[in-house]
Amino acid sequence: MRKFNIRKVLDGLTAVSSSASASAAAQQQQAGNRESEIQETLQSEHFQLCKTVRHGFPYQPSALAFDPVQKILAIGTQTGALRLFGRPGVECYCQHDSGAAVIQLQFLINEGALVSALADDTLHLWNLRQKRPAILHSLKFNRERITFCHLPFQSKWLYVGTERGNIHIVNVESFTLSGYVIMWNKAIELSSKSHPGPIVHISDNPMDEGKLLIGFESGTVVLWDLKSKKADYRYTHDEAIHSVAWHHEGKQFICSHSDGTLTIWNVKSPTKPFQTITPHGKQLKDGKKPEPCKPILKVEYKTTRAGEPFIILSGGLSYDTVGRRPCLTVMHGKSTAVLEMDYSIVDFLTLCETPYPNDFQEPYAVVVLLEKDLVLIDLAQNGYPIFENPYPLTIHESPVTCCEYFADCPVDLIPALYSVGARQKRQGYSKKEWPISGGNWGLITQSYPEIIITGHADGSIKFWDASAITLQVLYKLKTAKVFEKSRNKDDRPNTDIVDEDPYAIQIISWCPESRMLCIAGVSAHVIIYRFSKQEVTAEVIPMLEVRLLYEINDVETPDGDQVPPLPTPGTGSNPQSIVPQSHPSTSSSSSDGLRDNVPCLKVKNSPLKQSPGYQIELVIQLVWVSGEPPQQITSLAVNSAYGLVVFGNCNGIAMVDYLQKTVLLNLGTIELYGSNDPYRREPRSPRKTRQPSGAGLCDINEGTVVPEDRCKSPTSAKMSRKLSLPTELKPDLDVKDNSFSRSRSSSVTSIDKESREAISALHFCETFTRKADTSPSPCLWVGTTLGTVLVIVLNLPPGGEQRLLQPVIVSPSGTILRLKGAILRMAFLDTTGSLVPPAHEPWREHNVPEDKDEKDKLKKRRPVSVSPSSSQEISENQYAVICSEKQAKVISLPSQNCIYKQNITETSFVLRGDIVALSNSICLACFCANGHIMTFSLPSLRPLLDVYYLPLTNMRIARTFCFTNNGQALYLVSPTEIQRLTYSQEICENLQEMLGELFTPVETPEAPNRGFFKGLFGGGAQSLDREELFGESASGKASRSLAQHIPGPGGIEGVKGAASGVVGELARARLALDERGQKLGELEEKTAAMLYSADSFSKHAHEMMLKYKDKKWYQF
């Protein structure tokens, strides 16, 4: 494993910026006496960064292989990745350094090894007998391009076919070339005047290892006698060949062709095919040939003892089936089943009972690798049902748009989500066990529950059990079903705000203790959900429409302490009503024919049946204002103890009481400052009609910034409303110059750019709101993209029935704090330095009528505020931890003195910052756009870890990267895969134990019995001493310039580990020779390795440049 350099810093030092004034230093000294009481236990040695596991469907798959004895599946991809699957829970990810596409995979069956062939004409031997597989040897072909490989069962000689039509032979133990070569011109001789094309197939006759069947693309097939070095038979056909398969008796083989036909040949009758079949061709009268069909890309021919053989093929549909989905065809006797697939077929394999090619195959399943899915078909049951896939391969069912990770959740959560999710399962799967069952699970050393939540482009949300480095889907919630689906494009009022995917999830706010869930979607909509185990039907969906626009007439803004007009409690009685009842501008703008006061999506007005699980509590939508669409939501927070949800966007903030269904706060960002606005902003062309202060978010159309899209830093990146990749990443822009690029012209173009200050962070807590406070009280801390933190005081009515009758009163506190860069995250520590979590209400079932005792209890019940400070002496203080894109500060409360400050980055910006628990302590973890992962102690902000991990190559990483407790983190590494990593030294040390084992010692099945008569008359399988033919003594040395050997990181030691079993016995005998040979060839190999890595680096860099052209925002 790669060693990381960790920057160690002396414990007592804190980084004080050079610009910090002397007074700040004096304050620090003063506060130091109190802070020295807090014992910080985290040190640099507690941290180490490493990847743990990768989950999800292999992105852009290109090759497939199966070991029928070990029962392990391997998938290769176009980016050089290798994914290995055993029993559910046993998975492994490896990567070829070159990043070249994997074109073919071949297991050394029951040997714990795998050969991969890549598009850059390299062969690699992987050792699977270790938990993290490694390459033992590589071989780079210089003059010829690899097109097809074949490794016979229990053989150590690999046949490699090339584009020129030649076949080379590689010894898989030493990874050296044999001098034996089959040249194309010798194979075809005079049967053809032109070149036969690349090799598309190689296999030996199942009954005679000395006869090799070679398929050329042009349509020529040759049966080559290895001993006599000449062709026995040549079979010519007009149509190009895609694949070839043997009947197990070795007397017949079948070819698939580019015109949609199959030809079956008798080995000893090369003049014409024994039979020609067009599986999908229309049979024409008068004995004419059927119409040509699409190419049959692959065919397999599998026999059974008891009945007819199976012919399984992909492709071959007739050309008139336009728009038909890709199909796999299973022909068995007289029946033909056409199985439609959701995506195009990359490859398929038939799983058989025996690894021996010369025995009845007894096929029992087909594994089909699709472009975006893996399907297993049960051949033994009528109707060919599919197996239920136990791997977590559906992460990308709809593209992932955001991600959250929760480690150390309440223990009852996973069973609760599993029980409601179990009802969503489809029926009709095969009754049999999943056939890919190899490997063993690792030891479970982590006992805490972990949950990952993914938000998707179609509005769905998935909850995953991620405990102990596994992943399993628990429950799926479809948020779009609350809205009317538009029938046609003209019907869609939302086309102006998003071109497609109007329900896409942008932000998820979840309280694991109370199970309250809140989501913000791309169409400026917020939905609050409550968890219930009971099915209910909502007659009317509770809904609020919020009209927020920011307009002021003069420089004088309302005073900071002025309370915005509050709705009366009566408003809650009619949740359907539009909250601001009247607006002076409404009528005038409507008469202009501009869209006004309408939300982007239409909520269903029919009763909605809600299954057990997450059920709608309230839908909130921002509405159009005078022809301007609402701005997308940039931050969101929900608090179950207070019954409040708050959200903000690039121009303002709104707070809603979801229990009373009323809007409590409705302000433009500048109005939050009151008279304390540091920017002295004034609009140059204000509207004629002044809106009441409760009116809301402005109608200027500017770029928006989403917390999950933090790469598009408002202080460092140009942004467009369509959430595209930033055109430039200039982290050194001035803080105030957050220049957003406009996606279209705005109707209000003259407002200062400072007015585009977005709400970027929200945090409910119970703390000191003003300097003079003597006790903590509920409040909301608001962070903006210009680095300002503002505090809003919450005055909550008593619990029980009073909570539903009396209004919640909210008022600005006048407290303003400043940091450099947009605010990302806020948290609070108590006087001992422990994290003070926001108050929450424990979960209870809301859909069951309560008895009187319960009601009395409810009246008396206080929300669970886990804040220790509320129960401690009044003199006790708290600490606010605030992390922005550029720096972190720890501020003592109530004095509001900055006691610690750390400039995290000067030249880049922080994309994600989280305050997380680790080893019974807490720290601040940050991921920067320059690829660095950093952690800082709390409260003193000592740097503990600084590792260059991952450059920000695309928006997807920025949108999905998140840290959580106990040293865990994750991000979406490709559109279909989640990469998990750890920054904890302890987990890195235990990882080896936790990983599953792919290879398990299994007896190879006995070879088929030849039978008495076959033994007597010589009709059984003929064996061949390949060593005698291909060894150096018989065939001489191969040309040194044809291919170069590159030793893998596994080296000779790895061969020793892998050298057991059938091939291993031979390997041991040759090991001494290999070691001597390795020493002699070491210098040449080192040079070859350096040339090879330089070549692969330049290719990789060029591919990276081309990779992200023309993609939608969620595809990155």
Side-chain angles (χ1 to χ4, degrees):
M1 191 160 37
R2 192 176 141 206
K3 283 239 173 193
F4 293 98
N5 291 324
I6 295 176
R7 188 151 53 97
K8 295 201 178 190
V9 181
L10 290 171
D11 291 2
L13 291 181
T14 51
V16 180
S17 125
S18 54
S19 62
S21 63
S23 63
Q27 274 177 8
Q28 250 176 315
Q29 215 169 4
Q30 232 177 9
N33 303 331
R34 182 178 282 279
E35 272 60 68
S36 60
E37 296 163 21
I38 297 177
Q39 290 294 310
E40 292 184 1
T41 54
L42 286 178
Q43 302 298 335
S44 299
E45 51 268 24
H46 289 106
F47 294 88
Q48 187 185 339
L49 199 69
C50 69
K51 292 178 182 178
T52 51
V53 281
R54 185 174 288 204
H55 302 297
F57 182 76
Y59 183 55
Q60 296 179 323
S62 56
L64 181 67
F66 183 69
D67 184 326
V69 181
Q70 284 289 320
K71 302 224 177 323
I72 293 171
L73 187 78
I75 296 175
T77 75
Q78 289 176 32
T79 53
L82 190 59
R83 289 285 294 281
L84 296 141
F85 296 91
R87 65 179 59 196
V90 177
E91 277 183 49
C92 181
Y93 157 76
C94 321
Q95 178 69 46
H96 293 92
D97 290 340
S98 67
V102 179
I103 52 173
Q104 204 177 343
L105 295 170
Q106 289 265 308
F107 273 102
L108 277 69
I109 293 172
N110 206 23
E111 290 296 329
L114 174 79
V115 173
S116 56
L118 269 56
D120 62 357
D121 309 307
T122 54
L123 295 172
H124 305 274
L125 177 67
W126 289 86
N127 176 16
L128 308 182
R129 290 178 176 238
Q130 53 199 63
K131 287 189 168 185
R132 287 184 179 261
I135 291 175
L136 296 172
H137 298 285
S138 299
L139 195 64
K140 165 89 171 142
F141 280 75
N142 294 324
R143 298 204 303 257
E144 297 199 50
R145 309 225 55 183
I146 299 170
T147 55
F148 193 89
C149 299
H150 170 64
L151 180 67
F153 180 43
Q154 295 183 329
S155 162
K156 68 170 187 180
W157 298 97
L158 173 77
Y159 300 108
V160 181
T162 68
E163 201 169 38
R164 290 188 186 175
N166 304 325
I167 293 176
H168 301 279
I169 298 163
V170 175
N171 180 332
V172 291
E173 282 170 17
S174 60
F175 243 55
T176 52
L177 277 174
S178 160
Y180 191 116
V181 183
I182 303 170
M183 303 301 284
W184 69 270
N185 51 354
K186 291 269 176 62
I188 64 162
E189 265 182 327
L190 302 172
S191 62
S192 166
K193 291 190 171 72
S194 57
H195 189 279
I199 302 275
V200 293
H201 179 82
I202 308 168
S203 60
D204 39 7
N205 185 320
M207 286 294 178
D208 187 350
E209 292 172 351
K211 303 281 195 271
L212 199 66
L213 194 70
I214 305 163
F216 294 92
E217 194 180 65
S218 63
T220 301
V221 178
V222 174
L223 189 69
W224 180 263
D225 187 312
L226 289 165
K227 283 181 187 165
S228 63
K229 300 187 183 178
K230 62 180 180 57
D232 279 2
Y233 299 105
R234 297 186 182 87
Y235 315 84
T236 51
H237 193 67
D238 309 340
E239 292 297 333
I241 288 176
H242 284 276
S243 74
V244 184
W246 279 101
H247 186 283
H248 86 272
E249 288 174 349
K251 294 174 183 172
Q252 277 189 343
F253 62 87
I254 188 168
C255 302
S256 74
H257 299 279
S258 55
D259 63 345
T261 58
L262 298 172
T263 52
I264 300 175
W265 300 78
N266 284 337
V267 171
K268 295 185 176 175
S269 311
T271 47
K272 68 180 179 68
F274 162 72
Q275 192 183 354
T276 303
I277 309 165
T278 313
H280 295 282
K282 289 178 184 158
Q283 294 300 324
L284 301 173
K285 288 171 188 172
D286 313 327
K288 288 181 183 169
K289 274 176 73 177
E291 292 173 359
C293 293
K294 293 173 185 172
I296 295 176
L297 300 174
K298 184 172 181 180
V299 64
E300 291 207 338
Y301 197 8
K302 302 295 177 187
T303 52
T304 58
R305 270 190 178 80
E308 301 276 349
F310 282 87
I311 295 175
I312 301 164
L313 56 116
S314 63
L317 293 176
S318 64
Y319 281 103
D320 60 8
T321 52
V322 179
R324 190 162 175 190
R325 294 193 295 182
C327 292
L328 186 84
T329 306
V330 180
M331 299 167 73
H332 185 221
K334 289 182 179 171
S335 76
T336 300
V338 180
L339 310 174
E340 286 198 343
M341 302 290 157
D342 290 337
Y343 306 100
S344 53
I345 296 170
V346 175
D347 198 359
F348 73 89
L349 288 171
T350 310
L351 308 189
C352 300
E353 295 290 355
T354 177
Y356 294 94
N358 59 353
D359 193 8
F360 284 100
Q361 297 297 287
E362 304 296 350
Y364 59 89
V366 184
V367 56
V368 189
L369 178 62
L370 306 176
E371 210 171 41
K372 293 183 181 176
D373 203 0
L374 181 74
V375 176
L376 249 85
I377 295 158
D378 185 350
L379 287 180
Q381 265 180 264
N382 284 341
Y384 306 132
I386 63 168
F387 289 88
E388 184 175 5
N389 196 323
Y391 304 137
L393 301 183
T394 58
I395 291 168
H396 63 287
E397 193 175 19
S398 168
V400 176
T401 52
C402 67
C403 218
E404 290 297 337
Y405 189 8
F406 301 85
D408 216 1
C409 303
V411 288
D412 57 348
L413 253 181
I414 289 175
L417 288 163
Y418 182 81
S419 67
V420 293
R423 305 170 194 224
Q424 299 176 329
K425 291 201 170 165
R426 279 178 48 193
Q427 301 300 310
Y429 289 114
S430 166
K431 305 281 188 294
K432 290 192 183 159
E433 288 284 306
W434 181 252
I436 302 161
S437 55
N440 279 324
W441 293 307
L443 289 170
I444 307 297
T445 56
Q446 288 168 210
S447 55
Y448 51 86
E450 297 173 70
I451 290 176
I452 293 170
I453 306 179
T454 51
H456 300 263
D458 64 354
S460 61
I461 286 176
K462 286 183 182 172
F463 290 79
W464 304 83
D465 175 3
S467 311
I469 70 167
T470 61
L471 193 70
Q472 182 187 3
V473 72
L474 291 168
Y475 170 71
K476 181 178 172 182
L477 169 68
K478 294 178 179 171
T479 66
K481 68 180 184 185
V482 69
F483 299 110
E484 299 279 5
K485 295 277 190 297
S486 50
R487 307 248 175 342
N488 54 8
K489 284 206 169 174
D490 311 330
D491 212 26
R492 282 168 54 175
N494 53 284
T495 45
D496 227 355
I497 185 164
V498 274
D499 291 332
E500 46 195 58
D501 298 322
Y503 312 112
I505 307 293
Q506 277 188 308
I507 314 173
I508 297 165
S509 176
W510 188 52
C511 172
E513 289 78 14
S514 66
R515 306 185 189 172
M516 289 301 294
L517 172 72
C518 192
I519 63 101
V522 77
S523 297
H525 63 282
V526 171
I527 310 176
I528 304 151
Y529 289 92
R530 208 185 271 283
F531 186 84
S532 171
K533 294 180 179 177
Q534 309 290 321
E535 185 176 291
V536 292
T537 299
E539 293 302 322
V540 176
I541 296 161
M543 182 182 81
L544 284 177
E545 288 178 359
V546 180
R547 177 189 175 91
L548 292 166
L549 70 154
Y550 158 72
E551 296 172 307
I552 50 175
N553 264 343
D554 46 8
V555 191
E556 255 50 65
T557 53
D559 186 67
D561 286 327
Q562 183 183 320
V563 182
L566 282 163
T568 54
T571 325
S573 60
N574 179 10
Q576 286 297 104
S577 63
I578 289 175
V579 177
Q581 292 299 328
S582 63
H583 287 286
S585 64
T586 307
S587 52
S588 60
S589 54
S590 304
S591 60
D592 298 343
L594 294 170
R595 184 176 293 147
D596 191 53
N597 261 353
V598 284
C600 296
L601 302 170
K602 193 176 173 209
V603 174
K604 284 180 181 169
N605 50 19
S606 54
L608 182 69
K609 183 178 150 192
Q610 302 197 75
S611 307
Y614 274 102
Q615 298 170 352
I616 291 163
E617 175 78 7
L618 179 64
V619 179
I620 307 164
Q621 287 185 281
L622 296 185
V623 294
W624 285 64
V625 177
S626 311
E628 289 293 339
Q631 300 299 301
Q632 290 176 357
I633 289 155
T634 56
S635 57
L636 174 72
V638 65
N639 187 288
S640 57
Y642 306 155
L644 302 178
V645 67
V646 62
F647 55 93
N649 65 11
C650 71
N651 299 298
I653 186 169
M655 192 190 296
V656 169
D657 178 341
Y658 65 74
L659 298 175
Q660 293 189 23
K661 315 282 189 282
T662 55
V663 177
L664 301 174
L665 181 73
N666 198 331
L667 287 176
T669 318
I670 301 168
E671 292 177 291
L672 274 174
Y673 286 92
S675 56
N676 302 329
D677 185 5
Y679 300 110
R680 302 271 171 251
R681 288 170 278 205
E682 49 181 302
R684 309 244 171 86
S685 57
R687 300 229 185 227
K688 298 287 182 289
T689 47
R690 170 88 169 92
Q691 295 300 320
S693 148
L697 292 208
C698 79
D699 56 342
I700 0 177
N701 171 47
E702 295 302 343
T704 63
V705 58
V706 184
E708 257 53 30
D709 280 336
R710 291 195 177 88
C711 163
K712 296 180 298 187
S713 154
T715 59
S716 54
K718 290 198 170 179
M719 304 178 339
S720 88
R721 297 188 66 256
K722 303 292 185 213
L723 301 180
S724 58
L725 195 68
T727 47
E728 51 182 330
L729 291 170
K730 283 193 178 170
D732 51 352
L733 290 176
D734 181 62
V735 178
K736 290 184 187 177
D737 181 27
N738 54 338
S739 47
F740 297 81
S741 64
R742 297 163 190 269
S743 55
R744 55 196 172 77
S745 65
S746 165
S747 64
V748 185
T749 50
S750 57
I751 291 193
D752 264 348
K753 58 187 163 203
E754 279 90 357
S755 67
R756 298 170 204 151
E757 184 175 14
I759 306 293
S760 57
L762 295 162
H763 189 86
F764 284 107
C765 55
E766 200 163 307
T767 189
F768 301 91
T769 54
R770 298 180 182 91
K771 286 184 183 180
D773 283 4
T774 54
S775 62
S777 57
C779 56
L780 170 72
W781 285 52
V782 180
T784 76
T785 50
L786 293 189
T788 307
V789 175
L790 303 135
V791 182
I792 293 170
V793 182
L794 309 174
N795 197 333
L796 298 160
E801 285 175 19
Q802 290 301 308
R803 174 63 186 85
L804 300 174
L805 299 173
Q806 293 181 29
V808 177
I809 296 166
V810 292
S811 55
S813 66
T815 297
I816 292 185
L817 304 168
R818 301 272 303 134
L819 272 80
K820 202 166 122 189
I823 307 296
L824 298 181
R825 188 75 69 224
M826 297 175 279
F828 294 84
L829 314 182
D830 66 13
T831 189
T832 65
S834 305
L835 195 64
V836 180
H840 63 263
E841 190 181 58
W843 178 79
R844 63 186 178 85
E845 182 56 75
H846 272 256
N847 292 328
V848 175
E850 294 157 354
D851 54 33
K852 194 167 184 299
D853 294 349
E854 283 289 319
K855 277 194 177 171
D856 290 342
K857 271 188 206 167
L858 188 64
K859 278 182 191 171
K860 291 172 192 161
R861 194 167 54 119
R862 292 286 300 152
V864 182
S865 170
V866 204
S867 155
S869 48
S870 56
S871 61
Q872 287 166 355
E873 291 172 33
I874 286 169
S875 61
E876 297 289 358
N877 60 352
Q878 286 189 356
Y879 307 103
V881 181
I882 305 168
C883 175
S884 80
E885 290 178 324
K886 293 286 186 182
Q887 60 182 193
K889 282 186 181 180
V890 174
I891 290 156
S892 181
L893 300 174
S895 67
Q896 295 182 12
N897 291 334
C898 173
I899 55 168
Y900 294 109
K901 177 166 124 181
Q902 174 67 258
N903 287 331
I904 299 169
T905 173
E906 293 293 339
T907 55
S908 184
F909 56 93
V910 178
L911 290 162
R912 176 84 183 206
D914 286 294
I915 289 98
V916 289
L918 178 71
S919 305
N920 298 318
S921 189
I922 52 167
C923 63
L924 167 66
C926 298
F927 171 52
C928 272
N930 61 10
H932 283 252
I933 286 178
M934 296 182 264
T935 63
F936 302 91
S937 72
L938 288 174
S940 69
L941 294 173
R942 276 180 303 117
L944 297 169
L945 172 81
D946 184 355
V947 174
Y948 176 71
Y949 170 70
L950 171 89
L952 182 65
T953 46
N954 58 48
M955 285 299 308
R956 186 187 57 249
I957 297 168
R959 205 174 53 245
T960 57
F961 198 104
C962 46
F963 297 97
T964 186
N965 297 330
N966 299 348
Q968 307 279 9
L970 66 78
Y971 61 97
L972 214 68
V973 68
S974 75
T976 62
E977 296 163 291
I978 285 174
Q979 177 67 55
R980 286 164 74 176
L981 56 144
T982 182
Y983 48 94
S984 155
Q985 168 70 33
E986 190 187 353
I987 294 179
C988 287
E989 284 174 2
N990 293 335
L991 186 60
Q992 196 66 14
E993 286 178 18
M994 293 167 70
L995 292 171
E997 286 184 80
L998 286 165
F999 180 80
T1000 48
V1002 180
E1003 283 288 314
T1004 302
E1006 278 187 26
N1009 194 342
R1010 287 174 67 187
F1012 175 72
F1013 288 108
K1014 282 191 175 175
L1016 194 63
F1017 301 113
Q1022 303 294 310
S1023 61
L1024 169 78
D1025 186 347
R1026 293 188 178 95
E1027 185 69 43
E1028 197 181 294
L1029 273 179
F1030 306 144
E1032 209 169 284
S1033 54
S1035 63
K1037 283 192 172 183
S1039 160
R1040 286 183 79 99
S1041 60
L1042 179 64
Q1044 64 206 45
H1045 178 258
I1046 303 161
I1052 285 293
E1053 288 307 307
V1055 179
K1056 283 177 181 164
S1060 57
V1062 182
V1063 175
E1065 295 307 317
L1066 292 160
R1068 277 198 204 91
R1070 295 182 57 87
L1071 209 54
L1073 286 170
D1074 279 354
E1075 279 173 354
R1076 283 203 294 279
Q1078 189 177 11
K1079 279 171 188 156
L1080 289 169
E1082 218 160 54
L1083 190 67
E1084 184 186 334
E1085 285 165 351
K1086 275 184 183 167
T1087 316
M1090 284 166 72
L1091 283 167
Y1092 174 59
S1093 72
D1095 180 49
S1096 69
F1097 178 77
S1098 69
K1099 277 185 190 169
H1100 200 53
H1102 183 65
E1103 282 164 13
M1104 284 296 293
M1105 190 181 76
L1106 300 175
K1107 191 171 178 183
Y1108 297 104
K1109 248 178 142 185
D1110 310 326
K1111 290 209 173 184
K1112 291 199 175 68
W1113 62 277
Y1114 56 74
Q1115 289 174 316
F1116 286 107

